[in-house]
């Protein structure tokens, strides 16, 4: 019911916002929101990757800000996407895993708020939520159900359109349609969501990239061989997950799959370049706020693992780049912890739209301006629920502070992990149960409960049948 009230309030508000005036009195920005699927934070040359060259994506960072500590609150496709769109936790929008992927129909999403405020809104690509966002209103829509296919995919144009076969490479086809739409004359500011399929498994390369990375080899991460030794110090919940490289026919070894993963990102980079070029050609580049992020991170061989889900750093960290020269200094970086929850409120603030009280993220516009509010978050709540399910990763939740991380596998057998990220960024040394950590654990568990209470976690006071 609160969502309906929020929307009603918004409709009243839009009357004063549709005339192109923002809170700052300047022209309202356009938005392009790029999202990739399963791209980890360091799979970009601007983030220090030495094998992968991503000049076009890097140019977003060079013209704006790179967040070096950007995280998702549930490292899984559908829950993370629903969080970006709604600005609330999985346990509030209800898309807690990839099985239940429906955002409640009466819960407005970012595009609904922008549209009500006079924006043109377009969605192109992969949404991965139930109904593929066809239950929402779009000025332009070119999207597909579920995962879609890398080669010769079926895609629908318009929310009432049929899923038709298109010849070619998924992200190229989707980008071409997005570019066509961008180049049209728009009488009002717009927001384009361009959400790529890559680099999601099964990492099918564009045919033009068949030979890419043939002459290099991918080094093993330092923790790779620890898995075969029984993952010393790790709980069973981690060691027994079904995510080992070599256990799946399409993930035969580290070298092959990581090269394929990188090659699909090269295609993303080329497609990002086409969009930037189209914005430039149509004289819209400087007045468009460009966001680039991913729905979750990915293990690339740490503990011989691939996939995501866990609360460990490779899985929860995502790229986050924002370019908007009217506000952001070129080549800047931010180390404050920002979350996928924060993107919707940030975009609404930039658009001059009131941020609904129901949203649980915080606008990072001050950070984009180069300010660091004293009360910026220093910790946050993580949650994961898809169990039993693919890869056998048990349910867990946890708290990540600027220094520590506590992970709680809360169903029997109950297990914990505790890390000091300052001295142990690779999370090798599980401190849980070690002498001298009792007070720290107590404090972190109290704060974890507090964060769950603040974010209205319905399981907080529910009896747990497993324990
Ligand atoms: Ca994903």
């Amino acid at each position: 019911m609160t969502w309906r009230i929020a929307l009603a309030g918004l409709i009243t508000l839009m009357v004063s916002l549709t005339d192109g005036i923002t809170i700052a009195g300047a022209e309202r920005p356009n938005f392009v929101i790029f999202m990739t699927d399963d791209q980890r934070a360091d799979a970009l040359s601007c983030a220090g990757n030495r094998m992968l060259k991503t000049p076009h994506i890097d140019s977003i960072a060079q013209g704006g800000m790179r967040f070096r500590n950007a995280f998702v609150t549930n490292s899984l496709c559908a829950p993370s996407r629903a969080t970006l769109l709604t600005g609330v936790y999985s346990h509030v929008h209800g898309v807690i895993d990839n099985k239940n992927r429906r955002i409640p129909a009466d819960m407005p999403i970012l595009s609904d708020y922008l549209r009500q405020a006079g924006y043109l809104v377009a969605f192109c690509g992969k949404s991965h939520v139930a109904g593929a966002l066809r239950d929402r209103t779009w000025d332009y829509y070119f999207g597909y159900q579920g995962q879609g296919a890398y080669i010769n995919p079926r895609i629908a144009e318009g929310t009432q359109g049929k899923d038709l076969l298109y010849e070619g490479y998924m992200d190229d086809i989707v980008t071409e349609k997005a570019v066509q739409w961008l180049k049209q004359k728009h009488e009002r500011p717009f927001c384009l969501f361009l959400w790529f399929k890559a680099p999601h498994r099964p990492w099918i390369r564009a045919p033009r990239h068949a030979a890419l990375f043939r002459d290099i080899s991918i080094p093993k991460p330092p923790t790779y061989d620890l898995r075969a030794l029984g993952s010393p110090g790790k709980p069973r919940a981690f060691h027994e997950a079904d995510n080992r490289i070599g256990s799946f026919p399409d993930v035969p070894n580290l070298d092959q799959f990581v090269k394929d993963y990188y090659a699909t990102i090269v295609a993303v980079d080329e497609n990002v370049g086409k969009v930037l070029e189209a914005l430039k050609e149509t004289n819209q580049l400087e007045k468009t706020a460009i966001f680039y992020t991913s729905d979750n991170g990915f293990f690339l061989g740490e503990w011989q693992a691939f996939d995501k889900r866990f609360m460990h750093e490779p899985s929860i960290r995502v790229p986050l780049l924002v370019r908007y020269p009217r506000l952001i200094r070129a080549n800047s970086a931010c180390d404050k912890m920002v979350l996928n929850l924060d993107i919707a409120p940030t975009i609404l603030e930039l658009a001059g739209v009131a941020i609904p009280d129901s949203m649980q993220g915080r606008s990072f516009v001050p950070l984009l301006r180069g300010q660091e509010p004293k009360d910026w978050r220093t910790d946050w709540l993580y949650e994961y629920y898809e169990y039993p399910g693919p890869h056998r990763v048990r349910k867990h939740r946890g708290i990540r502070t600027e220094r520590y991380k506590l992970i709680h596998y809360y169903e029997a057998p109950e297990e914990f992990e505790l890390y000091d990220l300052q001295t142990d960024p690779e999370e090798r040394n599980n401190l849980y149960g070690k002498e001298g950590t009792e007070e720290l654990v107590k404090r972190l568990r109290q704060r974890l409960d507090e964060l769950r209470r603040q974010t209205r976690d319905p399981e907080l006071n529910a009896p747990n049948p497993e324990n």
Side-chain angles (χ1 to χ4, degrees):
M1 216 32 83
T2 51
W3 296 101
R4 290 183 196 283
I5 294 164
L7 194 59
L10 196 75
I11 291 163
T12 318
L13 185 72
M14 65 174 252
V15 177
S16 61
L17 288 168
T18 44
D19 56 2
I21 307 291
T22 70
I23 37 173
E27 193 184 2
R28 292 192 290 173
N30 300 314
F31 297 97
V32 172
I33 306 164
F34 291 113
M35 181 145 81
T36 45
D37 196 335
D38 289 6
Q39 182 178 12
R40 62 189 253 158
D42 60 5
L44 287 171
S45 39
C46 67
N49 194 298
R50 290 179 182 196
M51 276 160 274
L52 190 54
K53 294 281 172 280
T54 50
H56 302 293
I57 302 168
D58 293 357
S59 77
I60 300 171
Q62 284 149 7
M65 180 173 279
R66 184 164 78 85
F67 287 88
R68 292 188 289 218
N69 289 300
F71 301 96
V72 291
T73 48
N74 182 340
S75 178
L76 193 60
C77 307
S80 177
R81 288 149 187 268
T83 288
L84 187 148
L85 290 167
T86 59
V88 299
Y89 267 94
S90 304
H91 62 250
V92 173
H93 57 58
V95 184
I96 59 167
D97 54 32
N98 279 341
K99 287 175 276 185
N100 168 28
R101 296 187 283 121
R102 191 165 296 280
I103 300 174
D106 64 349
M107 190 179 280
I109 63 172
L110 177 57
S111 55
D112 297 325
Y113 289 111
L114 289 171
R115 207 175 148 270
Q116 297 283 2
Y119 269 79
L120 297 169
V121 292
F123 184 86
C124 293
K126 178 179 176 179
S127 64
H128 204 258
V129 296
L133 295 175
R134 293 177 191 176
D135 57 335
R136 306 287 162 164
T137 306
W138 301 96
D139 296 289
Y140 181 65
Y141 176 90
F142 188 69
Y144 48 94
Q145 307 267 10
Q147 297 285 5
Y150 272 106
I151 308 285
N152 299 343
R154 288 187 174 276
I155 313 173
E157 188 162 32
T159 54
Q160 304 298 315
K162 284 203 169 69
D163 291 285
L164 299 178
L165 187 83
Y166 287 80
E167 276 186 23
Y169 192 65
M170 173 70 95
D171 288 342
D172 297 348
I173 297 163
V174 169
T175 302
E176 196 182 320
K177 290 285 187 180
V179 164
Q180 279 170 14
W181 187 77
L182 277 180
K183 286 185 171 175
Q184 287 172 16
K185 176 110 186 86
H186 300 298
E187 299 298 337
R188 289 180 280 148
F190 62 78
C191 178
L192 165 70
F193 295 78
L194 176 44
W195 289 13
F196 296 106
K197 174 166 175 57
H200 195 280
R201 192 178 174 190
W203 314 291
I204 309 286
R205 300 169 178 230
R208 65 184 177 281
H209 295 142
L212 210 58
F213 304 120
R214 191 176 279 166
D215 301 328
I216 63 163
S217 59
I218 303 292
K220 276 186 193 174
T223 54
Y224 189 96
D225 293 320
L226 295 176
R227 187 70 169 270
L229 300 174
S231 313
K234 292 282 185 196
R236 276 173 52 192
F238 184 80
H239 183 65
E240 293 176 358
D242 186 19
N243 59 6
R244 287 188 200 206
I245 294 168
S247 302
F248 297 81
D250 61 332
V251 199
N253 59 65
L254 178 78
D255 196 69
Q256 188 172 326
F257 106 82
V258 175
K259 286 178 185 175
D260 290 342
Y261 175 92
Y262 284 166
T264 67
I265 296 173
V266 172
V268 169
D269 187 66
E270 292 169 354
N271 283 312
V272 167
K274 290 179 208 162
V275 172
L276 299 180
E277 190 53 41
L279 288 171
K280 209 165 158 184
E281 260 176 46
T282 51
N283 210 17
Q284 302 184 96
L285 185 60
E286 301 310 302
K287 57 182 174 191
T288 301
I290 300 168
F291 287 68
Y292 184 98
T293 193
S294 168
D295 63 348
N296 51 258
F298 213 74
F299 286 94
L300 290 181
E302 291 86 358
W303 274 271
Q304 202 186 325
F306 74 107
D307 200 61
K308 54 258 185 179
R309 301 166 194 271
F310 278 107
M311 196 193 161
H312 302 93
E313 296 290 292
S315 160
I316 61 174
R317 284 184 172 273
V318 287
L320 178 60
L321 316 173
V322 188
R323 184 188 193 278
Y324 184 43
R326 289 180 179 171
L327 189 72
I328 309 167
R329 200 162 48 84
N331 262 314
S332 50
C334 179
D335 288 324
K336 291 287 174 196
M337 296 196 292
V338 291
L339 306 175
N340 54 348
L341 280 174
D342 302 333
I343 292 176
T346 300
I347 287 173
L348 291 182
E349 184 176 351
L350 289 172
V353 179
I355 300 165
D357 289 340
S358 51
M359 283 193 179
Q360 298 178 314
R362 178 169 173 180
S363 163
F364 53 74
V365 167
L367 303 178
L368 295 175
R369 286 201 177 103
Q371 300 158 349
E372 294 203 339
K374 283 205 171 58
D375 62 345
W376 193 258
R377 75 166 64 81
T378 55
D379 57 23
W380 54 275
L381 168 71
Y382 180 81
E383 55 189 355
Y384 174 79
Y385 299 100
E386 192 172 87
Y387 185 85
H391 301 290
R392 289 204 313 262
V393 173
R394 281 171 40 204
K395 292 180 188 179
H396 57 286
R397 59 174 72 94
I399 177 172
R400 192 198 187 284
T401 74
E402 288 174 329
R403 178 165 180 184
Y404 295 106
K405 180 186 292 180
L406 179 72
I407 309 175
H408 184 193
Y409 303 91
Y410 54 90
E411 290 182 342
E414 189 182 37
E415 292 182 299
F416 292 88
E417 292 178 73
L418 171 68
Y419 298 104
D420 180 344
L421 299 166
Q422 205 170 77
T423 59
D424 180 26
E426 290 182 326
E427 300 166 306
R428 286 163 176 258
N429 188 14
N430 181 6
L431 298 172
Y432 188 82
K434 299 255 168 83
E435 208 183 321
T437 60
E438 299 83 354
E439 272 306 304
L440 174 64
V441 168
K442 193 173 153 200
R443 210 169 64 230
L444 290 171
R445 289 196 71 173
Q446 276 170 355
R447 181 62 186 148
L448 177 60
D449 281 349
E450 204 175 298
L451 289 168
R452 293 177 65 198
R453 205 160 24 246
Q454 280 173 10
T455 60
R456 303 189 306 279
D457 180 350
E459 282 188 3
L460 185 60
N461 296 312
N464 188 341
E466 300 275 341
N467 277 328

